[in-house]
Amino acid sequence: MTYDIRNSLPETRVAILSMHLDIDYIARAFQAGATGYVVKESATERLIECLEAVAKGRYFVDSSVSHKVVESPVEPSPTRKRR
């Protein structure tokens, strides 16, 4: 769904709220075009922070999973422009 949203509306930013801590889910979310990722366990503390960052055009990764992202670099999706 994220890919379809970003493909149809490229200026739209997508934040994911997920129960998954697995790097595969996180990587697929960003490859599909998400710019934010928060896990449900920390949603009350991090969701607003994530939405504010994403609305400002920044990336946001929940601190409980950020080390996994750093350890496994994500390839950019074909629909995303490199900066």
Side-chain angles (χ1 to χ4, degrees):
M1 182 179 283
T2 300
Y3 176 81
D4 293 336
I5 292 168
R6 292 290 308 223
N7 203 29
S8 298
L9 304 163
E11 298 300 316
T12 301
R13 296 176 185 103
V14 177
I16 303 294
L17 174 61
S18 177
M19 65 181 199
H20 299 287
L21 294 166
D22 188 313
I23 188 63
D24 291 334
Y25 287 96
I26 300 164
R28 282 189 290 197
F30 283 100
Q31 288 171 338
T35 52
Y37 194 95
V38 177
V39 292
K40 286 174 31 175
E41 294 171 349
S42 61
T44 55
E45 299 88 25
R46 300 286 180 230
L47 185 57
I48 292 175
E49 186 179 351
C50 175
L51 294 176
E52 288 173 346
V54 169
K56 293 176 183 175
R58 298 190 316 246
Y59 286 90
F60 184 92
V61 179
D62 193 322
S63 58
S64 67
V65 297
S66 61
H67 68 282
K68 293 181 181 194
V69 174
V70 172
E71 292 169 358
S72 298
V74 178
E75 292 295 320
S77 98
T79 61
R80 309 271 320 255
K81 294 180 183 175
R82 295 189 101 160
R83 296 180 190 194

